[in-house]
Amino acid sequence: MEGNMKSLWRPLMAVALLSLLSFCNGEDPYRFYTWIITYGDISPLGVKQKGILINGKFPGPPIESVTNDNLIVNVFNNLDEPFLLTWNGLQQRRNSWQDGVHGTNCPIPPGKNYTYALQVKDQIGTFFYFPSLAMHRAAGGFGAIKIDSRPKIPVPFPPPAGEYQILVGDWFTKSHNDLKGILDRGGDLPVPDGLLINGHGSDRFTFTVDQGKTYRFRICNVGLTTSINFRIQGHKLVVVEAEGTHTLQNVYDSLDVHLGQSYSILLTANQDPKDYYLVASTRFSSRVLAATSILHYQNSKQTVSGLPPPGPTIETDWSLNQARAIRQNLTASGPRPNPQGSYHYGEVNITRTIILQNSAPIVNGKRRYAVNSVSFLPADIPLKLADHFDIRGVFTLGSIKDSPIGSPVSLQTSVMAADFRSFVEVVFQNPENTLQSWHLDGQIFFVVGMNRGQWSAGSRSVYNLRDGVTRSTVQVYPESWTAIYMPLDNVGMWNVRSANWARQYLGQQFYLRVNTDSSSLRNENPIPKNALLCGRALGRKSEIVVDETEEQWELNV
């Protein structure tokens, strides 16, 4: 009993210390979360299965914050296997120590906890979190993140009457362990069994609105394998934000949201007072799956009837044109008072061009996925710890090249070196007939171009060098290319990965080591006092303790 009391007391004492420090130093506000990770029975598609719950909830609880808030998230792992959470789209300035992927953090062991310390520095927008190990993402454990602008920073639209978060994505009724087993044996995942909207199948979730008022819908594609199209029967969608960037307020009948992407749209309830279908359906898939919810007018006198409105399926040009039209609103303020467009990225000299080409080879008789002929092989220790403690033989800088090399695919712990404050051009070249979606942790980038066919130096003539949208996840259409400009202004070891989780799991990822010789804390935070150590890093640092009255209490539980 005494040991249990100490285990509960220690994190509470650490929280109290952080609160006291923030009060004394006048820091940005702190928000504290305690999350208990457990298994629980769920049946979102009518089939009972074992899901990953956070505080007993599926999906998990939302994080609601304001620009520059400090987020202290204490995660207790009550699963029977290691666990990690990652923060899709949070830049984590100077702080890849908290990224929550296998290359940066030791997993939280069963029965233990880890406290993430994040700051949403200079960010606004719509994001989400999810489990990053193995195929945990297929069992749940995901939830919404929203970052509101500070009160004095103007937003380029009137305050909405209300907000709704929509977490949408494909879903499998097979367990996450069964799906992992399929991939481990070299197989392909089956077609998903359906789509979920906020953890529910069709017609089990209702969004209530008042006639004549405008509402904000924050939409995230939290699925594993499939792009979706989102639409609301009889209503127009006004896109106002993409992953933290205020956009031109284009009006659409429907919106494509690719894997890992997030958007905000405004909807005005200006139709007859009845119920309407809210629809999500798959895009670029062999079989079209759909899920519906209900948009319910407060004074509705009629329920939905008939079939939900159909959406696009494999119309690539339609989607490509929509993607090109999603651009920055240069007159809007971002997280800071200065306009987002004041950063003239088109006038900055490019210091390096990186061309990344995906492939789907068979290696040793099993399906793998690769980037520039390298399929990522996880190390037995987080790469960030190996780098920090100078543990040799874990990875080799330059183990993935800057362009496709055409050689047979190899299995390596691939890490690409990059210089802090360089400004690079990255081209994602997709020779396959499937849509790709790429995500970069810790960095934002400007989407400057996308088109069909093979990229060449001449493709730069069609780049958008004025108001390309900034984001951290971008799609590459089948047999097409997408180009981005990226300021490498965030030191750390950052994951570059396919947002298609089966492809990521089987090797379509690598790490980008953004480095500087300076050890200034302005460039990167020190290793956290509560950092979990594992593998060859065990014993590499002494315990960090806090002297409290007559006893010394460990800050790391």
Side-chain angles (χ1 to χ4, degrees):
M1 179 66 179
E2 180 182 354
N4 290 337
M5 290 300 294
K6 284 186 177 181
S7 295
L8 291 172
W9 174 250
R10 292 169 185 169
L12 290 174
M13 190 193 69
V15 166
L17 287 172
L18 285 168
S19 299
L20 180 61
L21 287 172
S22 66
F23 176 79
C24 294
N25 296 334
E27 294 182 26
D28 292 301
Y30 279 75
R31 296 176 186 260
F32 298 94
Y33 301 85
T34 299
W35 287 354
I36 312 299
I37 312 300
T38 60
Y39 288 124
D41 289 337
I42 58 174
S43 53
L45 292 178
V47 177
K48 184 178 177 180
Q49 57 191 127
K50 184 168 70 172
I52 293 178
L53 312 181
I54 301 180
N55 293 351
K57 296 180 179 180
F58 168 76
I63 289 177
E64 298 185 352
S65 60
V66 176
T67 300
N68 291 352
D69 280 356
N70 295 281
L71 309 178
I72 309 301
V73 187
N74 194 3
V75 177
F76 288 82
N77 177 19
N78 287 352
L79 306 183
D80 57 2
E81 54 187 324
F83 184 80
L84 275 177
L85 286 173
T86 191
W87 321 93
N88 199 77
L90 298 193
Q91 293 175 33
Q92 306 189 60
R93 308 299 299 175
R94 310 187 307 274
N95 201 18
S96 67
W97 296 108
Q98 307 291 347
D99 198 26
V101 291
H102 192 271
T104 58
N105 294 89
C106 292
I108 306 170
K112 301 295 183 180
N113 78 298
Y114 176 71
T115 302
Y116 292 89
L118 314 165
Q119 186 180 23
V120 290
K121 183 69 173 174
D122 293 336
Q123 277 194 276
I124 59 169
T126 304
F127 310 98
F128 63 95
Y129 62 86
F130 65 89
S132 65
L133 296 183
M135 292 297 288
H136 284 168
R137 188 171 176 176
F142 51 77
I145 302 173
K146 79 164 184 173
I147 310 172
D148 286 327
S149 295
R150 289 175 288 177
K152 293 184 179 181
I153 307 300
V155 174
F157 48 85
E163 287 193 2
Y164 286 112
Q165 184 78 47
I166 296 180
L167 301 176
V168 61
D170 52 18
W171 189 256
F172 297 82
T173 56
K174 288 184 180 293
S175 74
H176 68 285
N177 284 326
D178 286 343
L179 296 177
K180 178 178 177 294
I182 292 171
L183 296 176
D184 289 343
R185 292 189 296 271
D188 295 322
L189 290 185
V191 174
D193 295 290
L195 295 184
L196 302 185
I197 298 174
N198 289 352
H200 298 280
S202 287
D203 301 337
R204 294 176 58 191
F205 208 93
T206 298
F207 303 90
T208 301
V209 296
D210 287 327
Q211 192 172 27
K213 294 184 178 180
T214 298
Y215 295 82
R216 182 173 185 169
F217 287 75
R218 297 175 181 265
I219 309 161
C220 302
N221 185 339
V222 298
L224 275 77
T225 65
T226 316
S227 299
I228 65 102
N229 178 266
F230 178 84
R231 54 200 179 274
I232 299 178
Q233 183 182 25
H235 291 74
K236 299 293 185 180
L237 313 179
V238 181
V239 177
V240 295
E241 178 244 332
E243 296 173 32
T245 300
H246 292 308
T247 63
L248 295 180
Q249 295 179 14
N250 296 331
V251 180
Y252 299 106
D253 292 321
S254 68
L255 176 68
D256 279 354
V257 186
H258 302 285
L259 282 168
Q261 292 186 342
S262 301
Y263 287 95
S264 286
I265 62 103
L266 296 181
L267 175 141
T268 300
N270 55 7
Q271 300 301 305
D272 292 337
K274 60 180 184 178
D275 291 356
Y276 296 86
Y277 282 112
L278 182 151
V279 189
S281 59
T282 56
R283 291 280 270 127
F284 307 99
S285 57
S286 57
R287 180 162 64 95
V288 177
L289 305 172
T292 58
S293 291
I294 305 301
L295 183 75
H296 171 71
Y297 277 62
Q298 189 71 50
N299 55 341
S300 171
K301 297 178 176 62
Q302 181 180 339
T303 60
V304 292
S305 60
L307 296 175
T313 54
I314 312 181
E315 294 86 347
T316 300
D317 287 339
W318 183 95
S319 185
L320 179 58
N321 289 332
Q322 184 181 78
R324 289 171 174 155
I326 295 173
R327 299 176 298 174
Q328 285 193 63
N329 182 343
L330 297 183
T331 64
S333 293
R336 299 175 298 279
N338 58 300
Q340 293 180 142
S342 65
Y343 185 75
H344 300 294
Y345 67 92
E347 300 174 10
V348 180
N349 290 329
I350 296 297
T351 58
R352 180 180 178 186
T353 295
I354 300 168
I355 302 174
L356 302 175
Q357 181 168 294
N358 51 276
S359 58
I362 300 295
V363 180
N364 299 327
K366 295 183 178 180
R367 171 70 66 199
R368 295 287 299 187
Y369 297 97
V371 189
N372 289 0
S373 298
V374 181
S375 186
F376 185 82
L377 196 64
D380 61 352
I381 176 179
L383 310 184
K384 183 65 179 172
L385 288 180
D387 199 26
H388 176 76
F389 291 118
D390 195 25
I391 300 173
R392 305 298 176 89
V394 177
F395 66 88
T396 302
L397 290 175
S399 45
I400 181 170
K401 304 303 180 184
D402 278 17
S403 58
I405 55 178
S407 61
V409 168
S410 62
L411 304 180
Q412 297 186 60
T413 305
S414 40
V415 179
M416 181 180 288
D419 294 329
F420 180 47
R421 290 179 177 162
S422 58
F423 194 76
V424 302
E425 173 188 41
V426 179
V427 178
F428 298 100
Q429 183 70 58
N430 177 19
E432 300 180 58
N433 62 359
T434 58
L435 185 141
Q436 304 291 311
S437 189
W438 286 90
H439 178 82
L440 277 69
D441 281 352
Q443 310 292 332
I444 61 167
F445 49 75
F446 300 86
V447 181
V448 297
M450 53 180 64
N451 210 344
R452 289 179 177 268
Q454 184 78 23
W455 180 89
S456 68
S459 302
R460 296 187 178 113
S461 64
V462 298
Y463 279 6
N464 176 1
L465 299 182
R466 181 175 180 272
D467 60 355
V469 70
T470 56
R471 59 191 319 157
S472 59
T473 312
V474 70
Q475 72 274 24
V476 192
Y477 291 96
E479 300 175 342
S480 300
W481 58 266
T482 294
I484 64 173
Y485 280 1
M486 182 164 60
L488 296 176
D489 58 356
N490 200 10
V491 172
M493 185 77 72
W494 301 108
N495 191 219
V496 182
R497 62 175 178 264
S498 171
N500 180 311
W501 209 245
R503 297 183 76 106
Q504 178 274 349
Y505 179 72
L506 291 181
Q508 193 173 315
Q509 62 167 310
F510 65 94
Y511 281 82
L512 186 68
R513 180 180 181 262
V514 181
N515 190 54
T516 176
D517 292 333
S518 171
S519 58
S520 170
L521 295 182
R522 292 183 178 181
N523 297 331
E524 186 176 27
N525 292 348
I527 184 172
K529 293 179 180 181
N530 69 330
L532 297 174
L533 301 182
C534 54
R536 283 177 274 174
L538 282 172
R540 290 285 178 148
K541 73 178 181 70
S542 59
E543 291 290 339
I544 303 297
V545 298
V546 176
D547 196 7
E548 174 72 7
T549 62
E550 298 179 356
E551 293 187 87
Q552 286 188 330
W553 297 93
E554 296 174 1
L555 198 59
N556 178 27
V557 182

